[in-house]
């Protein structure tokens, strides 16, 4: 690492000004809420119970900034069809608003849905709220995430991922079950939230027209840029919650950090899991050699795919005499709130999806954050007391950041969204009322892809789904993977394909602690297939099954047993969908060529070929790509491969590869490749 990195903060940073535009307007006067709030329409809160844990929970509920506004909030929300609610992360929006609405009787005629962009957040929030309500999870308060439904007939408050609510809208576009939909973390603008905006708005309008129970829509955001939300929901009023009270000092670097930004950060930021783990380890190692008298350091990694029990560790207080250091992805930016953070170090970088409709490549790329994100990160310090934020960029650099994050819907492959909209029988996807319209190029590219997968029918300028398209929409998967499963019956390898697709649908089942790399490599050897990563993963899953899911085996083989169990669950559900469609579910019985053929026939749009100079280029648009070091094929030079993910750091890497025969590809989509070849020659 360059010398500068070792300088003490005072030498490298200069103070910046305080957050601009933080005019926090508090429309909600304090003193309105609570049992003693004195407002007739405010229903009383439950009395604190005797258990010390419950009592602590109750006390904490009452000390949240939102609590003082409870009465007013409820009065306002009761009367409004749509509202936008802004409040700092941690002010109590997500955990309290659904409870206030429930206590106010809003859920009598329908469930209150709270959407979350992240699966972990939905689960942990449902757990927290059911604890606060002193009920068993899945009863009054439950959650639904992909492949997991913990709700019952009694459920009145339901946390669910935005993707799941979208799925429910396929079978019921009026969302009849719900009296209220809370679109939470709206500032994150995930692709599913963005589509939901349109779906929920349409449901609300249609219900009104039909004289049905009105649908209340509450958009919640942790950032102030909410004009767009308000406009979109017909000028919905914006309610502000009291802001943070403690000042935060900002420090920018004095010099642009070209050198180690590129060298260290970018390489450090290659893969969330690995980078966060590696950085944590380095921190721990350095901390061991701190001079006497320095407080000890407790270093905790935090990322979405970290086992849940380990994620929970970040919430626990540090032992006496320790400083707690959390090395986190942007999961801590808004969706998780950790108390007691005093210092924030903001790298100014984020790993996000980028899509180019011309090349058809959707990659995860390391890029600059927006100003909004930077302020959000800053805000993590100073929640309980004054704080300090070190920004690893200069103030000039900061000024050049984009004001707002480009919503995911404008930088993603839209094939999944278009398939879902068509499954909901949206009459014209090109004129769908998106809050932020994706470019027509992106929509056309998605339509072209779905066409290639045989999902679309064009009749009199009207787009509808073919029977295959309908079947594809029944799987909670990316269209190409749904197609892989559907095709597998033709290749008599559905059992194998179900396993592979399930393995690709959950976080990695392989645990790779960087400190034990050699050990990992030697135990993995026995599973490795020269046919690629998918077949290797299949071997690991099979052994896991044969061994009866033995935990010791998992430990010895660096396999994440929790994720493995999840794979088994996902697989069971996907298999169930196949059986419901009366699809024959057969095994290829060790014939891996059929499995590879099946992958080639469905994923032909994600393939690359070896070039005469030893590099790789994508088969269709000839983009340069490389084999990722984590692939079992890293040291091999197969002539032709199918990949299932792309990661962009200093170059474009293919991850999860399978060796295929180029002939199979042309056989799978002759017109496609003929057309692409023609364009390439022109
Ligand atoms: O939604 P918002 O960011 O405004 O806040 P919240 O998620 O409702 O969290 C309110 C408070 O509850 C936080 O400050 C946390 O201290 C606490 N909380 C918790 O302890 N455990 C959870 N799983 C969720 C929230
Ligand atoms: Mg929240």
């Amino acid at each position: 690492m360059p010398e500068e990195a070792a300088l003490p903060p005072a030498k490298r940073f200069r103070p910046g000004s305080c957050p601009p535009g933080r005019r926090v307007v508090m429309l909600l006067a304090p003193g309105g809420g609570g049992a003693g709030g004195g407002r007739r329409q405010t229903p009383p809160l439950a009395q604190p119970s005797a258990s010390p844990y419950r009592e602590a929970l109750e006390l904490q509920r009452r000390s949240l900034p939102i609590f003082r506004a409870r009465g007013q909030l409820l009065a306002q929300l009761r009367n409004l069809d749509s509202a936008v609610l802004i409040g700092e992360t941690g002010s109590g929006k997500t955990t309290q608003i659904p409870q206030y609405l429930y206590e106010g009787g809003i859920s009598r005629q329908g469930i209150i849905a709270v959407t979350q962009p992240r699966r972990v957040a939905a689960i942990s929030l449902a757990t927290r709220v059911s604890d606060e309500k002193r009920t068993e999870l899945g009863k009054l308060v439950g959650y639904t995430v992909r492949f997991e439904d913990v709700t019952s007939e009694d459920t009145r408050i339901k946390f669910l991922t935005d993707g799941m609510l979208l799925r429910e809208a396929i079978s019921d576009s009026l969302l009849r079950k719900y009296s209220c939909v809370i679109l939470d973390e709206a500032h994150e603008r995930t692709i599913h939230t963005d589509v939901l905006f349109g779906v929920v708005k349409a449901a609300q309008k249609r219900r009104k027209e039909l004289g049905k129970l009105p649908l209340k829509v509450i958009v919640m955001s942790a950032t102030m840029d909410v004009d767009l939300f308000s406009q979109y929901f017909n000028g919905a009023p914006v309610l502000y919650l009291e802001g943070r009270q403690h000042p935060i000092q900002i420090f920018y670097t004095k010099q642009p950090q070209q050198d180690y930004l590129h060298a260290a950060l970018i390489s450090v930021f290659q893969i969330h899991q690995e980078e966060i783990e590696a950085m944590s380890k380095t921190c721990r190692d350095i901390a061991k050699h701190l001079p006497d008298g320095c407080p000890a350091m407790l270093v905790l990694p935090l990322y979405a795919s970290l086992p849940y029990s380990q994620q929970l560790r970040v919430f626990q207080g540090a032992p006496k005499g320790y400083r707690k250091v959390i090395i986190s992805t942007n999961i801590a930016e808004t969706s998780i709130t950790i108390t007691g953070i005093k210092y924030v170090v903001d790298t100014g970088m984020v790993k996000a999806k980028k899509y180019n409709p011309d090349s058809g490549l959707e990659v995860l790329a390391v890029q600059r954050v927006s100003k909004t994100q930077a302020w959000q990160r800053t805000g993590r310090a100073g929640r309980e007391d004054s704080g300090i934020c070190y920004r690893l960029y200069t103030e000039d650099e900061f000024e050049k950041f984009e004001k707002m994050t480009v919503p995911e819907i404008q930088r993603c492959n839209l094939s999944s969204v278009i398939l879902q909209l068509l499954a909901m029988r949206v009459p014209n996807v090109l004129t769908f009322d998106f809050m932020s319209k994706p470019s027509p190029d992106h929509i056309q590219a998605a339509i072209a892809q779905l066409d290639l997968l045989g999902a679309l029918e064009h009749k009199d300028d009207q787009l509808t789904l073919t029977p295959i398209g309908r079947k594809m929409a029944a799987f909670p998967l990316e269209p190409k993977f749904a197609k892989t499963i559907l095709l597998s019956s033709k290749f008599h390898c559905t059992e194998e394909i179900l396993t592979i697709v399930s393995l690709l649908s959950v976080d990695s089942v392989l645990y790779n602690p960087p400190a034990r790399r050699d050990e990992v490599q030697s135990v993995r050897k026995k599973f490795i297939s020269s046919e690629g990563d998918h077949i290797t993963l299949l071997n690991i899953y099979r052994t896991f099954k044969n061994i009866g899911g033995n935990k010791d085996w998992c430990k010895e083989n660096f396999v994440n047993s929790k994720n493995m169990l999840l794979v088994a669950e996902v697989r069971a559900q996907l298999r169930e969908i196949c059986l419901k469609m009366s699809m024959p579910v057969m095994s290829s019985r060790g014939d891996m060529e059929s499995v590879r053929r099946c992958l080639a026939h469905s994923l032909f749009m994600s393939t690359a070929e070896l070039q005469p100079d030893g590099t790789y280029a994508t088969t269709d648009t000839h983009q340069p790509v490389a084999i990722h070091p984590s692939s079992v094929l890293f040291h091999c030079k197969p002539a032709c491969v199918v990949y299932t993910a792309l990661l962009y750091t200093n170059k474009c890497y293919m991850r999860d590869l399978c060796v295929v025969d180029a002939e199979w590809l042309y056989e799978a989509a002759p017109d496609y490749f003929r057309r692409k070849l023609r364009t390439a020659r022109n």
Side-chain angles (χ1 to χ4, degrees):
M1 198 174 271
E3 204 172 289
E4 203 191 3
L7 291 176
K11 296 238 170 74
R12 269 191 298 135
F13 291 92
R14 62 178 202 79
S17 50
C18 264
R22 289 263 140 184
R23 282 165 287 120
V24 183
V25 188
M26 203 183 91
L27 294 180
L28 305 158
R39 291 180 162 263
R40 210 156 33 87
Q41 74 270 44
T42 310
L45 279 175
Q47 289 304 307
S49 79
S51 132
Y53 170 65
R54 303 289 184 208
E55 219 162 280
L57 269 187
E58 193 60 41
L59 272 178
Q60 209 224 344
R61 262 195 91 183
R62 285 162 192 268
S63 67
L64 287 171
I66 202 170
F67 183 69
R68 283 177 295 158
R70 179 173 180 268
Q72 276 220 359
L73 262 173
L74 198 48
Q76 298 239 30
L77 293 177
R78 201 195 291 280
N79 294 325
L80 291 169
D81 278 347
S82 315
V84 179
L85 180 69
I86 313 177
E88 294 282 341
T89 305
S91 56
K93 298 181 299 298
T94 312
T95 53
Q96 305 308 306
I97 293 288
Q99 298 189 65
Y100 295 175
L101 294 172
Y102 167 75
E103 287 151 6
I106 307 259
S107 63
R108 262 183 229 128
Q109 289 170 285
I111 303 169
I112 299 169
V114 191
T115 65
Q116 291 295 318
R118 292 185 181 82
R119 183 188 166 89
V120 248
I123 300 172
S124 82
L125 287 161
T127 312
R128 168 79 184 190
V129 173
S130 73
D131 266 7
E132 289 189 9
K133 290 247 72 88
R134 301 169 215 173
T135 52
E136 200 183 313
L137 185 60
K139 290 278 165 45
L140 175 68
V141 186
Y143 68 86
T144 308
V145 296
R146 194 161 73 133
F147 304 121
E148 209 183 339
D149 181 15
V150 184
T151 60
S152 63
E153 298 223 311
D154 302 335
T155 304
R156 307 319 295 161
I157 300 177
K158 176 162 150 188
F159 285 86
L160 69 181
T161 48
D162 39 21
M164 279 321 289
L165 189 58
L166 213 47
R167 240 156 218 284
E168 289 187 10
I170 294 182
S171 49
D172 176 15
S173 60
L174 293 184
L175 300 168
R176 268 172 271 240
K177 267 193 236 160
Y178 302 100
S179 58
C180 176
V181 172
I182 301 177
L183 298 162
D184 199 7
E185 308 278 349
H187 55 269
E188 290 213 12
R189 301 292 305 274
T190 63
I191 189 162
H192 287 142
T193 305
D194 259 37
V195 181
L196 263 184
F197 278 123
V199 170
V200 167
K201 185 179 170 185
Q204 188 185 43
K205 179 159 168 259
R206 193 83 190 108
R207 272 163 61 160
K208 200 171 211 165
E209 285 165 2
L210 295 172
K212 295 199 182 295
L213 172 78
L215 178 65
K216 201 180 277 303
V217 179
I218 302 174
V219 179
M220 302 209 294
S221 167
T223 61
M224 304 280 279
D225 328 283
V226 293
D227 293 353
L228 196 59
F229 302 143
S230 163
Q231 269 164 29
Y232 184 73
F233 281 100
N234 315 309
V238 178
L239 312 176
Y240 297 84
L241 278 173
E242 187 181 14
R244 170 198 330 116
Q245 294 120 7
H246 305 288
I248 302 172
Q249 261 184 295
I250 313 271
F251 289 97
Y252 289 98
T253 59
K254 287 180 182 162
Q255 298 293 326
Q257 300 299 300
Q258 245 20 318
D259 47 359
Y260 73 96
L261 255 183
H262 284 98
L265 284 181
I266 295 199
S267 57
V268 159
F269 270 73
Q270 271 188 358
I271 310 154
H272 273 350
Q273 178 176 334
E274 284 164 24
E275 92 212 0
I276 298 279
E277 286 287 1
M279 182 104 157
S280 302
K281 183 177 179 302
T282 314
C283 273
R284 280 185 208 118
D285 288 350
I286 297 174
K288 274 187 211 142
H289 305 289
L290 285 176
D292 290 344
C294 262
M297 197 185 260
L298 174 70
V299 184
L300 302 171
L302 177 63
Y303 47 88
S305 61
L306 188 72
Y308 186 60
S309 59
Q310 286 188 50
Q311 286 188 4
L312 290 180
R313 289 172 57 203
V314 303
F315 296 107
Q316 292 156 6
K320 218 172 153 44
Y322 274 78
R323 160 172 282 163
K324 183 159 85 176
V325 178
I326 300 163
I327 316 274
S328 174
T329 61
N330 52 341
I331 188 170
E333 200 174 285
T334 56
S335 58
I336 285 183
T337 296
I338 304 152
T339 49
I341 304 278
K342 175 99 181 166
Y343 301 92
V344 166
V345 178
D346 172 15
T347 58
M349 306 301 268
V350 65
K351 199 173 85 172
K353 270 189 198 163
K354 252 189 186 170
Y355 177 64
N356 177 344
D358 295 332
S359 64
L361 299 188
E362 183 177 55
V363 294
L364 269 175
V366 176
Q367 46 201 302
R368 278 299 193 194
V369 295
S370 65
K371 283 184 180 158
T372 316
Q373 278 173 299
W375 285 120
Q376 185 61 31
R377 290 177 179 194
T378 302
R380 315 321 286 131
R383 289 201 45 246
E384 286 93 34
D385 201 346
S386 60
I388 293 177
C389 177
Y390 292 100
R391 293 183 162 170
L392 298 185
Y393 38 87
T394 68
E395 194 159 10
D396 287 345
E397 286 177 304
F398 173 74
E399 287 309 326
K400 291 189 197 110
F401 287 10
E402 294 286 337
K403 185 166 172 289
M404 282 200 253
T405 321
V406 178
E408 199 179 10
I409 199 157
Q410 294 177 335
R411 51 184 168 83
C412 265
N413 179 338
L414 294 173
S415 55
S416 211
V417 167
I418 301 293
L419 184 71
Q420 287 194 341
L421 289 178
L422 289 172
M424 283 176 219
R425 299 181 197 279
V426 166
N428 188 346
V429 286
L430 288 167
T431 56
F432 181 74
D433 180 18
F434 286 107
M435 188 167 70
S436 300
K437 255 200 177 327
S439 77
D441 284 2
H442 282 211
I443 299 183
Q444 288 302 352
I447 292 176
Q449 272 192 23
L450 290 171
D451 245 340
L452 283 164
L453 294 173
L456 301 185
E457 200 160 344
H458 302 254
K459 226 190 256 155
D460 318 324
D461 272 358
Q462 183 89 359
L463 270 185
T464 48
L465 293 182
T466 57
I468 293 183
R470 294 231 145 253
K471 285 185 179 171
M472 280 163 63
F475 290 94
L477 297 170
E478 267 183 64
K480 60 180 181 189
F481 292 130
K483 183 67 189 284
T484 314
I485 294 183
L486 290 173
L487 269 182
S488 67
S489 61
K490 190 172 137 195
F491 294 93
H492 310 291
C493 58
T494 306
E495 295 284 9
E496 287 74 15
I497 289 293
L498 282 173
T499 306
I500 290 173
V501 171
S502 307
L503 281 158
L504 296 175
S505 299
V506 308
D507 290 318
S508 177
V509 296
L510 305 179
Y511 175 55
N512 298 320
R516 302 172 69 182
R517 186 158 297 185
D518 295 344
E519 235 178 300
V520 174
Q521 273 178 356
S522 81
V523 297
R524 289 260 167 81
K525 254 192 204 129
K526 54 185 177 289
F527 304 115
I528 289 182
S529 158
S530 57
E531 293 165 299
D533 299 297
H534 301 96
I535 309 292
T536 303
L537 281 170
L538 187 60
N539 290 341
I540 295 177
Y541 182 83
R542 284 197 165 153
T543 317
F544 170 82
K545 273 287 167 192
N546 288 340
I547 241 131
N550 183 309
K551 274 209 164 138
D552 291 331
W553 178 88
C554 287
K555 228 180 185 160
E556 277 161 32
N557 290 283
F558 298 95
V559 165
N560 182 327
S561 63
K562 209 174 152 216
N563 287 355
M564 257 316 190
L565 291 173
L566 200 58
V567 172
E569 269 172 47
V570 169
R571 190 181 184 286
Q573 292 189 31
L574 294 176
R575 196 166 187 275
E576 193 61 32
I577 300 175
C578 293
L579 294 177
K580 264 199 204 136
M581 288 176 183
S582 317
M583 224 179 106
V585 178
M586 282 187 272
S587 162
S588 72
R589 302 183 180 280
D591 166 18
M592 289 304 142
E593 186 177 313
S594 308
V595 175
R596 292 189 294 118
R597 266 178 193 266
C598 178
L599 291 174
H601 274 250
S602 47
L603 305 176
F604 58 86
M605 282 176 266
S606 317
T607 56
E609 282 177 289
L610 184 64
Q611 305 299 303
D613 65 356
T615 64
Y616 282 85
T618 57
T619 314
D620 47 13
T621 54
H622 302 280
Q623 301 294 312
V625 283
I627 298 180
H628 193 272
S630 69
S631 170
V632 298
L633 298 177
F634 182 54
H635 292 294
C636 314
K637 291 256 178 231
C640 185
V641 290
V642 162
Y643 56 83
T644 39
L646 286 177
L647 177 76
Y648 188 84
T649 50
N650 50 346
K651 52 180 154 179
C652 202
Y653 285 107
M654 304 176 278
R655 299 192 77 169
D656 297 329
L657 305 175
C658 177
V659 179
V660 296
D661 203 329
E663 259 170 45
W664 301 343
L665 300 177
Y666 297 104
E667 193 181 286
D671 293 344
Y672 175 68
F673 285 106
R674 222 172 287 137
R675 209 163 52 229
K676 289 284 173 187
L677 276 179
R678 219 176 301 137
T679 356
R681 276 199 216 107
N682 290 341

